[in-house]
Every structure is written in structure tokens, then in C-alpha cells.
Amino acid sequence: MRRIVRVRVLACGLAISVAYSTTPGCVIRLGPSTEEDTTGNGTDTGATPENPVTPEPTQEEEAAEAFAQVDPEQLVLAEAKASLTTAYLVAQAESSGIDPSTLDEAALEQLMQQYLPAAAAAADAWLATLDPATFPAWHEKSECEFDEGCASRVPCKYNAPPVRHWCFVTDCGKSKCSICPDWVAELLKSLVLTSWCAYVCVELGKPSQTSVVAIGAGGISAFKGYFVGPICKDP
């Protein structure tokens, strides 16, 4: 009798062991998986293959689109005025006779702002004698960033218009000392600024009404090589 009971107990134990060893260690689900199953977070962005989420444009992309919406004649005139204003400003700064070693960044900024109104007036007077049809077509000069050290795409740093805007560098050049003799070393021919940078600025956020909202002038300090600007004004 005891032997029969013992045999039955051993048989039950063996059956339980076999059943446990053959039971899966994970839950197996049948049927299609859901987004929550595959990603583990269940976050729904609302995007579908038919309606993907469009990323927001960057500020530079928005600025490029804004420039594309501006009347080409307006851009051409603004570029010409920006170039002439900046060139006049630099010429006035160079002829001031100021020792460049005394000009820190703040002093140079103040000097450029001081000469900007007179430079813009001189540019307007000169432009009034010219035919706008003879002006070259507008284009951004991104090479000014590498050739002269100009910041290529920036907002106005001084006298900024009261709207969201972006400025593209449209012209640049080397500054020269007009009163220095030819034998002076090239490095010493620039008294205040080694290079100048001209800018045209447009409003952002209104692609159907985009317009030029400012022109700007910038430059590279001859003493320590830092960039100043853009110092802006109404076009």
C-alpha cells in the first residue's frame, strides 16, 4: 500500500515538473502589433504616411523665403544704398585721424553710428544722379564671410527695426587709407577698419508683404580684428 502511494506521488511530481518546464517564459500575443507594442511609449504624434508632420522652417530658411518675395527693384536699390552708405561711412572713419589703438569695440561702434547719418545722406545724393536700371542685380555675397570676415546672416545689432527681421551681407571690401603714401606697408594702410560689410534686411513672417526694412553697415576692427555691426538704419 505504501509503495503504491509513493509511486503516485512521484508520478504527480514528475508531471508537474514537465508542465512547468514547457510553459513559455514570456507572454505571446497573436495578431497585428500596435504602435504602443513596438515603441514601448504609446506616443501618438498625429503623423501618418498620408499626412506626415512638416518640420518648422529655420530662421535662415524663413529669411531666404522672405528675400525671394521682395520686389527685385527694391532689393537692387537697397543693395546699392547699403554699399554706398557703408563705403562712405568707412571713408569718413578712416579720414578722422583717430588712433585705432584707442578704439575698443564700444568706441568703434559709437564712431560708426556717429558717421552713419552723413554717410547715408551722401549715398542718397549720389544715387539720385544714377539710373537704377544700371545697377547690378541683387545677390547675396556669402563669400564676404570668408574673404573679409563679415558675419553673413545676422539681425541688426544697433538701430534694429521694430519687427522680426534678418540681414544678408550684399557687399564687402577692403578699407584703405586715402592719405597714406604708397610706400607704407599694406598692413598699415588701414587706420580704423580693415574691411567693410554692407547689409540688406527684410521683415520675416509676412511672405506676401515682405519688404526691405533696413540697410546695415559693418566692419572689421584694424586694431584687434573684431567684427562690429550691423549698424542699421531705415532704407
Side-chain angles (χ1 to χ4, degrees), residues 91-211:
Q92 290 175 330
E94 296 295 346
S95 62
S96 65
I98 297 175
D99 181 358
S101 64
T102 65
L103 292 174
D104 58 12
E105 186 172 359
L108 183 55
E109 292 164 357
Q110 184 177 3
L111 181 68
M112 294 177 69
Q113 291 190 68
Q114 174 186 338
Y115 286 129
L116 184 60
D124 283 337
W126 176 247
L127 285 172
T129 66
L130 303 177
D131 181 2
T134 63
F135 297 162
W138 176 88
H139 68 284
E140 179 190 6
K141 287 190 176 180
S142 56
E143 63 269 22
C144 289
E145 180 176 5
F146 305 100
D147 295 343
E148 308 297 348
C150 305
S152 60
R153 298 183 180 187
V154 288
C156 293
K157 188 175 182 181
Y158 305 96
N159 306 329
V163 294
R164 290 181 61 240
H165 67 282
W166 205 246
C167 305
F168 281 27
V169 61
T170 57
D171 203 359
C172 57
K174 292 289 186 186
S175 302
K176 302 296 182 183
C177 172
S178 59
I179 62 175
C180 293
D182 293 339
W183 53 265
V184 175
E186 184 73 18
L187 183 63
L188 301 179
K189 284 189 175 182
S190 177
L191 296 177
V192 178
L193 299 167
T194 59
S195 303
W196 56 270
C197 316
Y199 294 86
V200 173
C201 314
V202 299
E203 184 176 2
L204 302 181
K206 296 182 178 180
S208 62
Q209 305 175 16
T210 301
S211 61

